[in-house]
Amino acid sequence: MDHPKSRTLFLHAQTLMPGGVNSPVRAYRAVNRIPPFILRAKGCRIYDVDGHSYIDYVGSWGPMIVGHAHPQVVNALKRAVNHGTSYGAPTPLEVRLAEVLVRAVPSMAMVRLVSSGTEAVMSAIRLARAATKRDLIVKYDGGYHGHADSLLVKAGSGAATFGLPDSPGVPADLAKQTLTAPYNDLEATRRLIEARPGAVAAVIVEPIAGNMGVVPPEPGFLQGLRALTAEHGALLIFDEVITGFRASYGGAQSLYGITPDLTCLGKIIGGGLPVGAYGGRRDLMEQIAPSGPVYQAGTLSGNPLAVSAGLATLKLLAKPQVYETLEAKGAMLSAGLADAAKAAGVSVQINRVGSVLTVFFTSTPVRDYATAKTSDTAHFARFFSSMLDAGVYLPPSQYEAWFLSLAHTEREIQRTINAARAAFASLTP
Ligand code: HOZ
């Protein structure tokens, strides 16, 4: 598959933007390819400037759960844009979105809208530190919570892809305030907290890890964290930027029946426009300015376009059977991929929860970052490349999630499985 126009654009882009991109993983360095430059997307398909169309499993890294350019989302945006794009003032729309979020997400008695997942998490951490009057936070190796300083410690996602889990520029004194444990390791978390009595402000966790590839929580892990944090007066923060309205309508916390103190959202709740949100217990959220002293503000917070796209998306997700449908699509895809790998004699681990999955190129079950790192990334890169050439657009890193949408039909999933058969087969001599 040729990409002459993408190649020209990429060369030019590299003279203007670091690595030619606005987010590192998009540069395709881990897969040694030129990234296709995208012109448009519709349903589950994405179209590049070179005239190729792909079945899209990136879905803008999660937000496009109802498919690209869904007519109801587009119409909501058209209506909103006619009334102006930003006011920097309260709006009826943002009250509606807050109401939808508070009703859907069990832990959210109150919510604050922001403009990205990074901003949501950064603000939730500040609130946790202020509320507990403690500084230390615990996160998980390979967990990614955006690029705020406190959280770029042993981080996953692009940081893992590029082997930069601890970024230069993060002051050592600040990094020291972040402790890390292996994901799914309750006892390691307990040891960290018990060794520092009264010092840990919060444990932050992706309830289904999505940024070291998909890693589900083992039975008892999240329940254990809930009990442990409560016992030690630390807050439990769920980063549901990926899993919110994805794992179920009420997120992973509804799926597993665990109520954290604070929850961070993003992606789906903006329907593909920049948005984030954090919320939780009323007594905590009332400490945010202007109700309380913890400062946080934003010119584009509650932006009417983002809120309109988010509301339209959430309305589509509130219909019956949506999550059963997503589960069925995910099950079909993962079963087909597992068969295809087996037929080719390639060892993989497919971790899936509903409509997100990762194919790890390893024979070791993946339960944390260390086991995710046993993957053969060279095999992943070759598999990725064959899939791209066959018209399947996957996340260009072993350590990311594949996202299905309601727009993926059985036909496209079957085509993906057929492409995977050939891609796996190309890996064996
Ligand atoms: N690493 C980010 C997703 N987990 C990438 C986001 C992007 O490049 O858009």
Side-chain angles (χ1 to χ4, degrees):
M1 196 181 261
D2 284 341
H3 294 90
K5 291 186 181 163
S6 293
R7 181 180 297 275
T8 305
L9 277 166
F10 194 42
L11 287 174
H12 186 45
Q14 286 173 73
T15 67
L16 301 168
M17 299 181 283
V21 289
N22 283 311
S23 188
V25 78
R26 300 180 194 178
Y28 273 37
R29 289 200 180 172
V31 291
N32 304 314
R33 293 279 304 234
I34 300 284
F37 276 57
I38 303 304
L39 264 189
R40 65 191 173 90
K42 177 76 188 161
C44 72
R45 289 203 164 259
I46 191 158
Y47 301 84
D48 72 15
V49 291
D50 293 290
H52 308 301
S53 125
Y54 309 88
I55 306 171
D56 177 21
Y57 290 96
V58 176
S60 188
W61 305 92
M64 311 318 303
I65 191 166
V66 298
H68 293 282
H70 189 288
Q72 277 170 248
V73 179
V74 171
N75 286 336
L77 276 168
K78 281 183 181 163
R79 278 195 302 275
V81 82
N82 285 328
H83 295 130
T85 53
S86 182
Y87 324 119
T91 67
L93 279 174
E94 67 184 7
V95 181
R96 266 186 28 224
L97 181 58
E99 205 166 19
V100 171
L101 298 180
V102 161
R103 280 208 189 125
V105 183
S107 65
M108 276 192 175
M110 295 183 97
V111 65
R112 166 65 60 87
L113 300 180
V114 292
S115 297
S116 70
T118 291
E119 201 188 336
V121 171
M122 188 183 83
S123 311
I125 294 285
R126 181 179 303 145
L127 172 58
R129 285 177 162 150
T132 57
K133 302 187 173 55
R134 301 173 179 181
D135 288 340
L136 297 180
I137 57 169
V138 174
K139 72 175 282 288
Y140 290 91
D141 299 342
Y144 182 70
H145 307 283
H147 60 86
D149 281 352
S150 294
L151 295 154
L152 268 188
V153 178
K154 296 200 183 166
S157 190
T161 305
F162 295 106
L164 301 166
D166 304 294
S167 175
V170 174
D173 281 347
L174 193 56
K176 267 194 258 159
Q177 309 294 329
T178 304
L179 313 170
T180 64
Y183 189 73
N184 268 326
D185 193 336
L186 185 60
E187 286 318 306
T189 314
R190 181 186 303 284
R191 285 195 295 276
L192 283 179
I193 295 180
E194 288 183 352
R196 298 159 183 85
V200 172
V203 173
I204 181 161
V205 64
E206 295 170 83
I208 299 163
N211 286 293
M212 53 181 102
V214 173
V215 183
E218 289 176 354
F221 176 57
L222 298 176
Q223 289 84 346
L225 289 185
R226 179 60 289 184
L228 182 65
T229 46
E231 184 189 335
H232 290 275
L235 301 183
L236 180 61
I237 305 175
F238 273 11
D239 178 341
E240 295 230 43
V241 170
I242 288 180
T243 53
F245 295 90
R246 166 72 67 177
S248 80
Y249 190 73
Q253 59 195 267
S254 282
L255 188 67
Y256 298 118
I258 313 286
T259 307
D261 301 293
L262 293 170
T263 297
C264 303
L265 297 172
K267 299 197 188 268
I268 289 175
I269 65 162
L273 276 81
V275 94
Y278 64 103
R281 282 171 24 201
R282 183 173 298 276
D283 62 306
L284 294 172
M285 291 306 291
E286 280 180 341
Q287 299 189 37
I288 298 292
S291 302
V294 181
Y295 196 72
Q296 181 272 309
T299 299
L300 293 174
S301 296
N303 173 265
L305 295 188
V307 167
S308 300
L311 278 168
T313 299
L314 299 188
K315 197 166 169 192
L316 289 161
L317 294 176
K319 292 186 179 154
Q321 304 300 315
V322 159
Y323 290 90
E324 287 84 345
T325 304
L326 286 167
E327 164 63 29
K329 290 175 194 289
M332 178 182 172
L333 179 60
S334 60
L337 292 169
D339 277 356
K342 196 167 168 203
V346 176
S347 282
V348 294
Q349 305 293 319
I350 302 180
N351 283 4
R352 178 181 72 87
V353 181
S355 57
V356 286
L357 64 84
T358 297
V359 179
F360 292 98
F361 285 79
T362 175
S363 51
T364 308
V366 176
R367 61 180 301 264
D368 57 16
Y369 189 45
T371 45
K373 292 290 266 185
T374 64
S375 301
D376 183 335
T377 51
H379 263 186
F380 170 80
R382 283 170 57 199
F383 175 81
F384 171 90
S385 212
S386 304
M387 294 295 274
L388 190 71
D389 288 337
V392 182
Y393 188 82
L394 302 176
S397 161
Q398 173 67 91
Y399 306 109
E400 300 281 1
W402 304 20
F403 293 94
L404 276 149
S405 77
L406 289 167
H408 287 81
T409 64
E410 281 190 14
R411 193 157 151 247
E412 276 122 0
I413 294 172
Q414 193 52 55
R415 279 193 184 171
T416 306
I417 294 166
N418 296 344
R421 249 178 236 294
F424 283 126
S426 74
L427 298 178
T428 46

